[in-house]
Amino acid sequence: MFINGLGAYIAPTVDISWAVEQGLYPAEDVERYELASAAVAGDIPAPEMALYAAQDAFKRCGWPPTEVDLLLYASTWHQGPEGWVPYSHLQRHLVGGHALATEVRQGCNGMFGALELAACYLRAEPDRRAALLVAADNFGTPMVDRWRMGPGFIVGDAASAVVLTKERGFAQLLSVCSGTVPEAEGLHRGAEPLFPPGITVGRGVDFEARSEEYRLDAISRNVGTLQMIRVQQELIRVAKRSLSEAGVGIDQITRVAFMNYSREAVEQRCMAALMLRSSKSTWNFGRTIGHCGASDQTISLDQLVKTGQLAPGDHMLMIGTGPGVVTSSAIVKILDSPPWRE
């Protein structure tokens, strides 16, 4: 499986100092988490950003958009009118309606799920050649506060696109795999009831409050520490599995893209856990745009390739977690310097 095209759309950024001045972000958290800014798209719809990123990817690789066999759309937040599907926007304006298209609802891990599903789909039939994978979110809506959505991160508006093919591209997808820790399912749910869905009755999203509810409940059942250790162990296990499947040693990893969280979270949950130097992470870039839903890792890959920080022969480890709790990892090898490299 090869990556023939990459595309990204990142909204203009708003400095964290502005959010502090407006009373939107706690001043004490600036030094604690070291986050710099967030991408804010205003009223640009997420499906429109997905279209921009996809157009960018096809323009770079020259693959005809109408010749993809699969379209997978990943998101973490609402995309448009209820009862409408966002991938239809890309079908109408870019790829046409002949390819199988659907959404991947896997939270922040949606692009990993899309990569795994697309690879299997393309291999299932000899005539299938290419898939378009996109992820997009605009969090600038009521019922969510981008500056206080969860501990150690702020959310940014962005989109990313990958053209995955059987034909050689500038990079090769060596492996992608996932694992779950279902006993920690309540981490992103907290004490909130399943029905009616909170968003339908005007209840917003506050992962910090949900995490605290989950923590207190877990402590009362004497399982809190054990479950969080289990999540961390699964993250490491999945990373090692993807390295093994790719036939790559941890010492061969050039760069690592985790979720765009605080320095402490990136270092402790990812880099130190895998015994990797912090300088290999993409934290310095991620802190400037915020946590962009399912796009974090692919946007980082795009940034590193575009700026020449990844060269032929380099390996990149992409790793993340999502609600469920699901953990995923992928290994990408750079084969050639693409012509769109700056």
Side-chain angles (χ1 to χ4, degrees):
M1 286 294 139
F2 298 93
I3 296 176
N4 244 289
L6 268 181
Y9 176 86
I10 304 173
T13 57
V14 173
D15 196 84
I16 199 81
S17 61
W18 176 88
V20 173
E21 292 172 0
Q22 300 299 312
L24 301 173
Y25 189 77
E28 60 271 18
D29 285 353
V30 175
E31 184 175 353
R32 179 182 180 186
Y33 296 126
E34 302 180 71
L35 301 174
S37 49
V40 179
D43 59 1
I44 302 176
E48 194 70 11
M49 293 193 293
L51 179 61
Y52 296 155
Q55 290 171 329
D56 196 22
F58 283 116
K59 180 179 179 181
R60 286 172 169 181
C61 70
W63 194 281
T66 55
E67 292 186 14
V68 297
D69 302 285
L70 178 68
L71 166 59
L72 296 178
Y73 191 113
S75 64
T76 64
W77 191 235
H78 297 270
Q79 299 291 301
E82 291 301 311
W84 175 81
V85 288
Y87 54 80
S88 63
H89 188 67
L90 277 74
Q91 288 178 304
R92 179 183 179 188
H93 295 287
L94 187 64
V95 303
H98 68 282
L100 173 64
T102 192
E103 285 186 86
V104 178
R105 296 290 292 173
Q106 203 184 27
C108 305
N109 265 39
M111 190 58 88
F112 289 101
L115 285 169
E116 200 160 359
L117 290 169
C120 293
Y121 186 83
L122 293 179
R123 283 178 171 167
E125 293 289 345
D127 292 339
R128 295 173 184 167
R129 302 166 58 216
L132 170 62
L133 322 178
V134 298
D137 277 299
N138 182 337
F139 295 98
T141 64
M143 317 314 296
V144 64
D145 183 347
R146 76 167 68 249
W147 304 104
R148 299 174 185 260
M149 193 173 183
F153 71 92
I154 52 180
V155 291
D157 305 332
S160 61
V162 175
V163 179
L164 191 71
T165 70
K166 288 180 179 177
E167 298 181 14
R168 181 185 171 94
F170 76 89
Q172 184 174 6
L173 178 66
L174 298 181
S175 69
V176 57
C177 54
S178 299
T180 60
V181 187
E183 59 268 30
E185 163 271 328
L187 178 61
H188 293 84
R189 175 174 51 84
E192 188 167 319
L194 298 181
F195 191 86
I199 205 72
T200 66
V201 293
R203 188 165 52 240
V205 177
D206 186 342
F207 284 125
E208 187 164 12
R210 292 184 191 178
S211 296
E212 181 62 14
E213 292 168 352
Y214 173 80
R215 186 184 70 85
L216 294 175
D217 176 69
I219 288 174
S220 70
R221 295 183 289 112
N222 296 316
V223 296
T225 302
L226 291 175
Q227 288 187 356
M228 296 315 296
I229 291 175
R230 177 78 178 85
V231 171
Q232 186 65 27
Q233 289 174 338
E234 185 64 17
L235 187 73
I236 297 170
R237 188 192 70 80
V238 167
K240 289 183 176 179
R241 178 182 158 200
S242 63
L243 288 165
S244 176
E245 290 184 1
V248 175
I250 193 69
D251 58 320
Q252 294 175 268
I253 295 299
T254 307
R255 299 298 298 269
V256 181
F258 188 54
M259 303 160 82
N260 295 341
Y261 280 5
S262 67
R263 181 200 294 270
E264 180 183 32
V266 173
E267 290 185 351
Q268 293 185 3
R269 293 171 57 186
C270 180
M271 305 305 290
L274 295 172
M275 294 182 288
L276 288 164
R277 297 194 311 273
S278 297
S279 59
K280 289 189 174 185
S281 80
T282 56
W283 177 78
N284 273 322
F285 168 67
R287 69 189 287 262
T288 66
I289 62 174
H291 174 36
C292 300
S295 287
D296 282 357
Q297 295 84 358
T298 42
I299 285 178
S300 290
L301 174 60
D302 175 81
Q303 178 72 10
L304 293 174
V305 172
K306 180 173 64 176
T307 57
Q309 296 179 66
L310 281 175
D314 288 345
H315 295 86
M316 182 171 180
L317 167 65
M318 302 192 295
I319 186 167
T321 65
V325 169
V326 60
T327 66
S328 298
S329 178
I331 307 292
V332 173
K333 180 179 181 180
I334 306 301
L335 303 178
D336 304 298
S337 293
W340 43 268
R341 170 182 166 179
E342 292 177 357

